[in-house]
Amino acid sequence: AQSVTQLGSHVSVSEGALVLLRCNYSSSVPPYLFWYVQYPNQGLQLLLKYTSAATLVKGINDFEAEFKKSETSFHLTKPSAHMSDAAEYFCAVTGTASKLTFGTGTRLQVTL
Amino acid sequence: NAGVTQTPKFQVLKTGQSMTLQCAQDMNHNSMYWYRQDPGMGLRLIYYSASEGTTDKGEVPNGYNVSRLNKREFSLRLESAAPSQTSVYFCASSERDRSGYTFGSGTRLTVV
């Protein structure tokens, strides 16, 4: 079975500051990991995914995430926050099947 | 535009009424999913269809039924709506195992 835990339901950063959203996973098999973003009143869009090819994964809008097996983590980072990054972010995991298991989400607020 | 289309976008039901949420994808994906999103709980899988002709229960199937009408369409039915089913419902599809999802824009359902 697979599960993810997202630490912090709300994160607030200043515009231009580092964004760090935390995700820890549990999986009985080598996992595939995903980050999705949801803007208000919209569906979820894929930001990036880890598929075992490289531990540092780059996604859209300068987001990246690093897979750390020893820490069972897949934290999402962005060097410099922009107002348009304000949204809810979901980490998700899958094992050998197609079903994804999602975390409870982290709402990112970006302030001036 | 290619993607996942959900109808309706908004719906208000009275307790005990029935309705069907429609979902169609035009990407020739094999697998389709229905999730519900509730505040603080992330996305929870209701039902999924790994391929045309098959459906399986997810984490929260009670009170729902599904039909995989053909490869493109996957509908979700509420036979007797309850206030606990007030939620935002998302349909998603995936091309193959571990590839991640493409999401629809959601249906916001209120049961009064």
Side-chain angles (χ1 to χ4, degrees):
Chain A
Q2 289 75 40
S3 66
V4 292
T5 301
Q6 292 185 241
L7 299 176
S9 58
H10 290 83
V11 170
S12 182
V13 300
S14 301
E15 191 174 35
L18 171 72
V19 175
L20 171 60
L21 304 182
R22 300 179 185 274
C23 173
N24 287 89
Y25 70 91
S26 173
S27 179
S28 54
V29 299
Y32 277 26
L33 293 155
F34 303 80
W35 276 101
Y36 285 85
V37 60
Q38 184 181 31
Y39 299 103
N41 300 314
Q42 294 186 27
L44 282 74
Q45 304 171 30
L46 181 66
L47 267 181
L48 51 80
K49 64 180 179 181
Y50 166 75
T51 60
S52 76
T55 57
L56 182 62
V57 182
K58 295 187 182 298
I60 60 174
N61 299 334
D62 295 327
F63 282 95
E64 62 181 37
E66 186 171 8
F67 174 72
K68 292 187 176 180
K69 184 178 179 180
S70 61
E71 299 177 9
T72 61
S73 68
F74 190 57
H75 301 331
L76 182 70
T77 60
K78 180 173 180 175
S80 177
H82 192 273
M83 295 296 288
S84 61
D85 295 326
E88 190 155 22
Y89 293 79
F90 292 92
C91 182
V93 64
T94 187
T96 56
S98 57
K99 291 185 298 177
L100 295 184
T101 299
F102 288 85
T104 53
T106 298
R107 186 168 298 279
L108 176 66
Q109 180 183 20
V110 183
T111 59
L112 289 172
Chain B
N1 290 339
V4 178
T5 303
Q6 290 184 237
T7 56
K9 293 190 182 302
F10 301 93
Q11 185 71 49
V12 178
L13 289 179
K14 294 182 178 179
T15 297
Q17 288 185 318
S18 62
M19 79 162 296
T20 299
L21 282 63
Q22 306 287 353
C23 176
Q25 53 92 8
D26 59 6
M27 297 169 287
N28 202 35
H29 285 176
N30 289 315
S31 302
M32 298 185 73
Y33 313 84
W34 277 104
Y35 283 83
R36 60 178 290 173
Q37 183 181 23
D38 302 290
M41 304 190 75
L43 281 83
R44 293 180 293 168
L45 182 64
I46 305 171
Y47 270 93
Y48 67 102
S49 172
S51 61
E52 185 179 357
T54 68
T55 60
D56 285 288
K57 295 178 180 179
E59 182 184 353
V60 288
N62 291 344
Y64 305 95
N65 285 300
V66 291
S67 296
R68 183 74 183 268
L69 304 171
N70 48 54
K71 191 170 186 179
R72 289 186 64 248
E73 299 173 284
F74 189 40
S75 62
L76 179 71
R77 183 161 179 84
L78 287 71
E79 291 291 351
S80 178
S84 61
Q85 295 178 304
T86 294
S87 187
V88 180
Y89 292 84
F90 286 101
C91 179
S93 67
S94 64
E95 182 179 8
R96 60 187 181 279
D97 286 353
R98 314 181 91 181
S99 64
Y101 294 171
T102 300
F103 280 89
S105 58
T107 296
R108 188 173 296 273
L109 175 67
T110 302
V111 182
V112 299

